[in-house]
Amino acid sequence: MNDTIPVSSALDEETARAEIYGLLAALYYAPPGPELLAQLRVAVTEAPAAGGFLEEPWREVVAAARSLDDAAVVAEYDALFGGVGKPEIYLFGSHYLSGFLNEKPLAALRTDLAALGLGRADAMSETEDHFAYLCEVMRYLIAGDEVEVANLTQQQKFFTTHVQPWTHRMCDAIAAHPKARFYAALAGFTRAFLGVETQGFDMLA
């Protein structure tokens, strides 16, 4: 996963979008390590992408990282998304779209990934409808070198089909959970960022 912190105002918009997706992938896939949390704590709190709409949600993420120690953030991740059996909060699209894991939405996603020439790495233990995996796909569609795949048309199609329909519900569930502090702030930023993405893609319709 990409651990880059998207804070440089010199980044162009597309690079910033790709890096935000990479950061979200890292933070949702596993508990953040000491290096990533250290980067977050010293991150500037200006908007991480063009425009000021994301500035306040980003500031809240940085503030939450600064207010908690490493162990507290790791424990929060495990309490929300880990554990044996049913987690407190699911990070899988099939759960929100069908009420069950490994259902038709996952099969449809795998079909679309195959059409893009993409598949799950052997080292990844989660299914492809995990939010972190979808963020990695979006990052590739923005920053990849294969222009016939990594282009705005494919970004819009993948986002509107596999990301937009359910992620707001995931963010709401995280934000409302009593154990969520760092991840409540991250959910707010995630919701805001995906809202900007939605507006941008809507303009292309």
Side-chain angles (χ1 to χ4, degrees):
M1 295 294 176
N2 187 339
D3 290 355
T4 305
I5 304 299
V7 295
S8 173
S9 59
L11 292 174
D12 63 57
E13 184 177 353
E14 293 303 287
T15 301
R17 289 177 60 223
E19 293 205 351
I20 292 172
Y21 275 116
L23 176 64
L24 293 178
L27 291 172
Y28 282 103
Y29 183 68
E35 182 178 353
L36 179 52
L37 286 171
Q39 288 180 286
L40 279 171
R41 293 182 183 118
V42 299
V44 295
T45 53
E46 66 187 22
F53 182 71
L54 297 177
E55 188 168 355
E56 184 57 33
W58 175 249
R59 184 180 293 115
E60 292 177 4
V61 172
V62 174
R66 291 172 178 172
S67 69
L68 299 167
D69 61 27
D70 291 8
V73 177
V74 171
E76 182 181 321
Y77 183 96
D78 290 339
L80 295 175
F81 312 121
V84 178
K86 179 181 177 181
E88 295 281 318
I89 296 173
Y90 284 101
L91 296 174
F92 300 91
S94 287
H95 169 76
Y96 295 94
L97 294 171
S98 71
F100 301 94
L101 300 179
N102 302 316
E103 285 291 319
K104 290 181 180 179
L106 177 57
L109 170 62
R110 286 173 171 164
T111 298
D112 286 350
L113 288 171
L116 293 170
L118 301 175
R120 185 176 65 175
D122 292 339
M124 182 177 175
S125 59
E126 309 292 356
T127 52
E128 295 90 332
D129 60 336
H130 191 288
F131 180 63
Y133 187 94
L134 300 180
C135 287
E136 279 292 309
V137 174
M138 285 299 299
R139 184 171 73 91
Y140 171 74
L141 295 178
I142 296 167
D145 294 329
E146 303 293 333
V147 293
E148 66 274 13
V149 173
N151 58 62
L152 200 55
T153 299
Q154 296 291 0
Q155 293 169 38
Q156 180 188 35
K157 180 180 178 182
F158 189 85
F159 181 88
T160 57
T161 303
H162 299 295
V163 180
Q164 183 181 351
W166 65 274
T167 46
H168 65 286
R169 294 171 58 195
M170 179 194 76
C171 292
D172 289 347
I174 296 169
H177 199 286
K179 296 178 183 176
R181 295 178 64 191
F182 173 79
Y183 277 91
L186 185 66
F189 176 77
T190 304
R191 187 190 299 110
F193 172 65
L194 297 180
V196 171
E197 289 284 277
T198 297
Q199 291 175 2
F201 289 129
D202 284 349
M203 292 175 65
L204 299 176

